[in-house]
Amino acid sequence: MLTRFALAAALVLAPLPALAAEPAPPDPLADQKVLDPETFAIRHQQLTLHQGFGLAALTSMAVTAGLGLYTQQPTAPGWATDLHLASAGLTTGFYLTAVALELTAPRLPETDEPENFWS
C-alpha cells in the first residue's frame, strides 16, 4: 500500500520535461481594454432605445403601407390621405431617430471602427 502511494506521489510530483519546455499560450484577453461602467450604461441605454425606435419604425411603416392601400379605394374618405402622410412622417422620424442613436452610441474599445460614421 505504501509503495503504491509513493509511486503515485512520485508520478504526480515529478516534473514533466515536455510540458515544462513549451511556452504558455498568450492570453487573448490580456491586452483587451475594459469599458468603464458609465460608458457601458450609456451604450446599453442608447442601443436599447435604438431597438425600440426601430421596432416602432417597422410598425409605423406597416400602418403607412396599409393606409396607402386604403387611400387607393374609390370610397376612401379624404382624411385617409392626410392620415397616410402623417403616418409616413412619423415613420421617417422613428427611422432617423433609430439611426442617430446607433451612430452616436459609444463604441466598444476592442473594435477598430471609427468613433462615429463621419470620422
Side-chain angles (χ1 to χ4, degrees):
M1 174 86 173
L2 186 58
T3 54
R4 287 185 185 167
F5 179 73
L7 181 59
L11 287 175
V12 169
L13 298 175
L16 298 174
L19 293 178
E22 293 179 15
D27 185 14
L29 302 177
D31 51 337
Q32 184 179 16
K33 298 176 186 173
V34 178
L35 192 62
D36 63 297
E38 183 179 339
T39 305
F40 182 78
I42 292 170
R43 175 181 168 80
H44 178 73
Q45 183 179 10
Q46 271 190 272
L47 293 181
T48 302
L49 288 171
H50 159 75
Q51 287 178 339
F53 277 104
L55 290 174
L58 179 65
T59 304
S60 179
M61 197 177 300
V63 169
T64 303
L67 285 170
L69 291 174
Y70 179 67
T71 59
Q72 299 302 314
Q73 301 297 322
T75 58
W79 54 264
T81 303
D82 296 335
L83 189 60
H84 171 70
L85 291 175
S87 180
L90 188 64
T91 301
T92 304
F94 283 148
Y95 182 77
L96 292 176
T97 303
V99 168
L101 284 168
E102 194 279 327
L103 291 178
T104 59
R107 299 284 182 200
L108 295 175
E110 66 267 12
T111 60
D112 294 331
E113 298 176 22
E115 185 64 30
N116 59 37
F117 181 74
W118 295 279
S119 63

